[in-house]
């Protein structure tokens, strides 16, 4: 019985992992399939961490924004990301990687030729390579990624953007253990290629 449960759990993990990889591929390849997309890359690093303490790392993402999802103040784009996180003071379970896909909703307060302030909100899916980091039990490999940020784009073509935000990963109580990773303040820089 125990062996059959383990086999089912492994099969489930393979199906979900395959779905996550397929989603990441869709995000990266659809940028070239959608007419006139805006494509870019971003990097984020934590300034303040909370759960767990002493967390360091980065999150690198590629994103695309179809022309059809750009309105006067609202823009919707999609990102696929890789995050590498580690703890500096722990010997056990001191690092993990996180793969994620998410829609991002951006509202521009005003759109100026050289400076446009905005607010971002996003909820997406993530896959964690470990279910523990330091003394934090994350419960399972699958999680939700929540982000909220405020920032601005710069330049005549709005190619540069800088934002300050917060990010959280947790499984949303889908299993008994629901420890999360919380980054109350991180800085994100992005560049649009097209």
């Amino acid at each position: 019985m125990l062996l059959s449960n383990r086999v089912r759990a492994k099969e489930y993990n393979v199906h979900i992992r395959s779905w996550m990889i397929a989603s990441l591929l869709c995000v990266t390849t659809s940028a070239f399939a959608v007419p006139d997309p805006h494509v870019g890359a971003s990097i984020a690093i934590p300034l303040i961490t909370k759960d767990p303490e002493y967390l360091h790392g980065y999150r690198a993402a590629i994103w695309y924004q179809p022309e059809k999802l750009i309105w006067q103040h609202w823009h919707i784009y999609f990102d696929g990301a890789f995050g590498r996180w580690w703890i500096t003071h722990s010997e056990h379970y001191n690092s993990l990687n996180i793969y994620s896909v998410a829609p991002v909703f951006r509202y521009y307060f005003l759109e100026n030729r050289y400076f446009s302030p905005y607010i971002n909100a996003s909820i997406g899916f993530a896959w964690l390579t470990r279910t523990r980091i330091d003394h934090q039990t994350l419960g399972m490999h699958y999680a939700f990624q929540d982000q909220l940020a405020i920032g601005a784009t710069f330049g005549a073509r709005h190619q540069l953007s800088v934002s300050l935000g917060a990010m959280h990963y947790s499984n949303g109580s889908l299993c008994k253990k629901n420890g999360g990773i919380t980054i109350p303040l991180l800085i994100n820089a992005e560049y649009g290629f097209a």
Side-chain angles (χ1 to χ4, degrees):
M1 181 73 169
L2 183 60
L3 185 57
S4 67
N5 286 342
R6 286 184 183 171
V7 169
R8 270 191 246 132
K10 283 184 180 181
E11 288 174 358
Y12 177 75
N13 284 340
V14 167
H15 292 303
I16 297 296
R17 192 175 308 156
S18 298
W19 179 83
M20 289 293 293
I21 290 168
S23 297
L24 280 171
L25 287 173
C26 286
V27 167
T28 57
T29 58
S30 58
F32 302 102
V34 175
D36 300 323
H38 300 269
V39 181
S42 65
I43 185 84
I45 56 171
L47 300 176
I48 299 172
T49 61
K50 181 181 175 187
D51 292 323
E53 282 189 288
Y54 309 107
L55 182 72
H56 301 278
Y58 61 89
R59 178 184 184 272
I62 55 172
W63 54 266
Y64 84 95
Q65 182 176 49
E67 194 73 36
K68 291 180 181 180
L69 298 179
I70 298 175
W71 298 283
Q72 183 177 0
H73 291 283
W74 286 99
H75 294 205
I76 300 173
Y77 66 93
F78 303 90
D79 82 1
F82 168 79
R84 175 81 177 143
W85 305 100
W86 63 88
I87 304 290
T88 55
H89 79 288
S90 177
E91 300 265 337
H92 302 287
Y93 311 111
N94 63 348
S95 68
L96 67 94
N97 298 333
I98 300 175
Y99 301 90
S100 63
V101 290
V104 180
F105 300 89
R106 177 173 287 180
Y107 178 79
Y108 283 96
F109 298 107
L110 84 104
E111 292 202 56
N112 187 302
R113 185 168 176 178
Y114 295 103
F115 173 78
S116 297
Y118 63 80
I119 186 167
N120 276 357
S122 174
I123 297 177
F125 299 102
W127 186 77
L128 291 65
T129 57
R130 293 181 182 224
T131 59
R132 290 183 61 105
I133 184 164
D134 196 22
H135 300 292
Q136 198 84 344
T137 303
L138 305 172
M140 59 188 206
H141 290 283
Y142 311 103
F144 296 102
Q145 171 190 265
D146 307 322
Q147 295 184 85
L148 189 61
I150 188 162
T153 58
F154 303 93
R157 291 174 38 201
H158 299 278
Q159 285 185 288
L160 299 174
S161 173
V162 176
S163 64
L164 291 173
M167 186 164 51
H168 177 72
Y169 295 97
S170 74
N171 63 46
S173 297
L174 293 177
C175 71
K176 290 181 182 178
K177 301 287 185 178
N178 186 28
I181 295 173
T182 303
I183 303 166
L185 186 61
L186 55 82
I187 187 166
N188 185 67
E190 63 183 55
Y191 181 80
F193 299 108

